[in-house]
Amino acid sequence: MVHANLYQQLCSFRNLELAYKKARKGKRNKKSVQDFEFNLETNLLQLKHELETGTYKPRPLKQFVIRDPKTRLISASDFRDRVVHHALCNIIQPIFEKTFIYDSHANQLGKGASKAIERLDIFKRKVSENGRLVNHALDNNMIVGYVLKADIRHFFDTVDHSVLMGIIKRKIKDQNVLRLIQKILGNHRTQNFANYTGKIQDPERGMPLGNLTSQFFANVYLNELDYFVKHELKIMHYIRYVDDFVLLDKSREKLGECKSGIYNFLKTIKLELHPEKSQIYPLNKGVKFLGFRIFYNYKHLNKRNIRKMKYRLNGFESKLENREISKEDIQGSLVSWFGYAQQANTYKLRQQLKFKARSQYQNKKEWRC
């Protein structure tokens, strides 16, 4: 099914107002959000007019490098542009999500990292015959199942705009929507900036880390890989979270064939399998996936993730003083992280962080997380 008359819905005041509410979530203390909100109706009507007349132009991206410890270039859109991103996704995301496989877990309602970890636990038990052989394997150093753990080399820097637009055009025929998507991609392109290595990026490739549209387009683009793995390679136990994915099977040889097949397929959509980060190894060595190292009967939370959360907790103080964040935002961030971390043996760590948060940010009794 193709969709040809979407732009009027996208430009409606009701859709833009909903997009604004989504874009401001967790960011209401930021000056850019408050400035937009101060003349909310005027700003939304101005956006509506620009979209309807084709005069809308995204503002330049603000760029900064983070090291956590991996160095990444983040490109942040202006708040009014983030409203447009949400308005676009409100209309086209439901169209594409119907085509996504069940085990595509990033940036979708009801999915997420925790759900992906839960599915990995299920697949791990199935590959090891519901754990029937696991204890015997642990006692006798016997291998029960293998995993191909892989990701795509510099995915967000190398997404090919023409390939992405070709995929989108299979479903979307509304030329105004297509032009808006090209403007959003082109905003990344026209700045012609150097990435964090100092190398000038190909103007026809790449999407900015940090945009809602980039996360959504990543799922659209890599849905091609999902269908190849499920329908061509016929792999039952496959999970993808953005460009990070795993395949599980009893046979190392089969996974080796899958790795070769994926390597060749990715070339057809102008991507490359990461050579160092795409390896096959026994399940009893533990699967490194989404911040955990997952064994048959237990999980470890990566030390890097613990350091990152402690660093964020320390940084909340200055943001609170500058009114960039509220106590409720801090609490919400911690609750979310605790929900993620409790999948591993982290009880003592979570208690330590709760105590630190209470002593640092609250007048203590009303704090709950």
Side-chain angles (χ1 to χ4, degrees):
M1 182 179 179
V2 296
H3 300 264
N5 299 302
L6 301 171
Y7 200 65
Q8 187 176 356
Q9 299 173 50
L10 190 155
C11 297
S12 70
F13 188 87
R14 182 177 181 180
N15 184 49
L16 290 171
E17 186 176 37
L18 174 62
Y20 153 72
K21 290 176 180 177
K22 289 183 176 180
R24 77 179 182 185
K25 189 175 182 181
K27 300 178 177 68
R28 296 193 72 171
N29 289 321
K30 291 196 172 183
K31 186 177 184 302
S32 60
V33 180
Q34 292 173 345
D35 289 344
F36 191 92
E37 192 173 39
F38 185 75
N39 292 303
L40 178 60
E41 185 173 352
T42 300
N43 286 326
L44 290 179
L45 287 171
Q46 178 63 30
L47 266 183
K48 185 177 188 294
H49 173 74
E50 291 177 19
L51 289 167
E52 288 175 336
T53 58
T55 57
Y56 165 75
K57 290 183 180 180
R59 293 177 179 174
L61 299 166
K62 294 179 181 178
Q63 297 177 267
F64 54 95
V65 173
I66 63 170
R67 295 175 176 86
D68 63 344
K70 182 168 71 173
T71 301
R72 294 186 295 167
L73 179 70
I74 303 297
S75 301
S77 293
D78 189 87
F79 181 73
R80 78 192 300 268
D81 295 324
R82 294 205 298 272
V83 173
V84 173
H85 298 168
H86 278 277
L88 172 66
C89 289
N90 285 347
I91 301 303
I92 69 170
Q93 190 164 344
I95 295 169
F96 284 95
E97 281 191 350
K98 293 176 184 177
T99 71
F100 293 167
I101 67 167
Y102 184 82
D103 282 305
S104 166
H105 285 281
N107 309 301
Q108 297 173 68
L109 189 64
K111 300 292 183 70
S114 295
K115 184 70 173 179
I117 296 296
E118 179 186 313
R119 291 289 286 172
L120 181 55
D121 281 336
I122 292 170
F123 288 168
K124 184 179 61 183
R125 289 195 296 271
K126 287 184 176 179
V127 168
S128 63
E129 298 181 21
N130 292 319
R132 182 174 64 84
L133 300 175
V134 169
N135 290 333
H136 181 67
L138 295 175
D139 290 340
N140 296 280
N141 203 30
M142 184 179 80
I143 294 170
V144 180
Y146 295 86
V147 60
L148 166 58
K149 168 67 176 65
D151 72 9
I152 295 165
R153 187 184 184 98
H154 302 314
F155 172 69
F156 281 97
D157 288 339
T158 58
V159 164
D160 187 278
H161 296 178
S162 62
V163 172
L164 175 60
M165 290 305 300
I167 296 168
I168 290 170
K169 286 176 182 178
R170 294 178 204 160
K171 291 285 184 186
I172 306 296
K173 300 300 181 184
D174 188 316
Q175 293 302 310
N176 289 319
V177 173
L178 294 173
R179 277 191 287 270
L180 177 59
I181 293 170
Q182 288 173 322
K183 281 185 180 180
I184 292 169
L185 292 173
N187 192 41
H188 180 68
R189 179 172 65 231
T190 54
Q191 289 186 241
N192 198 30
F193 50 78
N195 65 16
Y196 55 83
T197 65
K199 182 179 178 181
I200 299 297
Q201 293 183 206
D202 183 338
E204 299 300 324
R205 294 166 78 89
M207 298 188 298
L209 273 171
N211 275 3
L212 170 71
T213 48
S214 297
Q215 305 299 319
F216 169 64
F217 291 149
N219 275 341
V220 172
Y221 204 108
L222 291 176
N223 194 42
E224 303 293 297
L225 171 63
D226 298 341
Y227 271 66
F228 175 75
V229 172
K230 297 296 288 185
H231 298 293
E232 297 296 326
L233 298 180
K234 301 189 185 302
I235 289 293
M236 293 179 61
H237 306 124
Y238 165 75
I239 302 167
R240 182 178 61 79
Y241 190 92
V242 194
D243 62 327
D244 196 2
F245 57 97
V246 292
L247 292 74
L248 288 75
D249 199 84
K250 294 179 182 178
S251 168
R252 187 183 194 115
E253 290 72 23
K254 183 175 181 179
L255 291 180
E257 293 171 2
C258 290
K259 183 179 178 183
S260 297
I262 290 169
Y263 177 84
N264 292 325
F265 174 78
L266 288 175
K267 286 183 177 180
T268 69
I269 55 173
K270 301 185 180 181
L271 297 175
E272 180 184 353
L273 198 64
H274 199 297
E276 288 83 30
K277 295 181 180 179
S278 303
Q279 303 292 334
I280 300 168
Y281 48 89
L283 281 171
N284 63 4
K285 299 294 184 183
V287 183
K288 292 181 179 179
F289 189 53
L290 302 182
F292 293 92
R293 188 164 185 177
I294 302 163
F295 295 87
Y296 284 129
N297 296 318
Y298 60 95
K299 303 179 187 73
H300 288 314
L301 186 63
N302 289 354
K303 291 180 179 179
R304 190 185 90 179
N305 284 35
I306 297 171
R307 287 196 301 270
K308 185 176 176 180
M309 188 60 215
K310 288 181 177 178
Y311 177 81
R312 286 184 66 198
L313 188 58
N314 290 333
F316 284 151
E317 187 168 7
S318 62
K319 289 184 177 182
L320 193 62
E321 289 175 358
N322 295 330
R323 296 188 175 181
E324 296 176 16
I325 196 170
S326 67
K327 291 178 181 178
E328 291 75 19
D329 293 333
I330 296 171
Q331 184 170 334
S333 180
L334 284 170
V335 167
S336 177
W337 190 83
F338 290 157
Y340 162 78
Q342 71 182 4
Q343 295 176 93
N345 185 17
T346 57
Y347 177 79
K348 289 184 178 179
L349 170 67
R350 285 181 281 125
Q351 293 303 113
Q352 289 171 0
L353 292 179
K354 285 179 185 179
F355 178 79
K356 182 175 182 179
R358 288 191 188 103
S359 61
Q360 203 165 356
Y361 302 117
Q362 272 287 11
N363 291 331
K364 322 296 189 267
K365 290 185 180 179
E366 59 200 60
W367 183 274
R368 294 188 301 275
C369 65

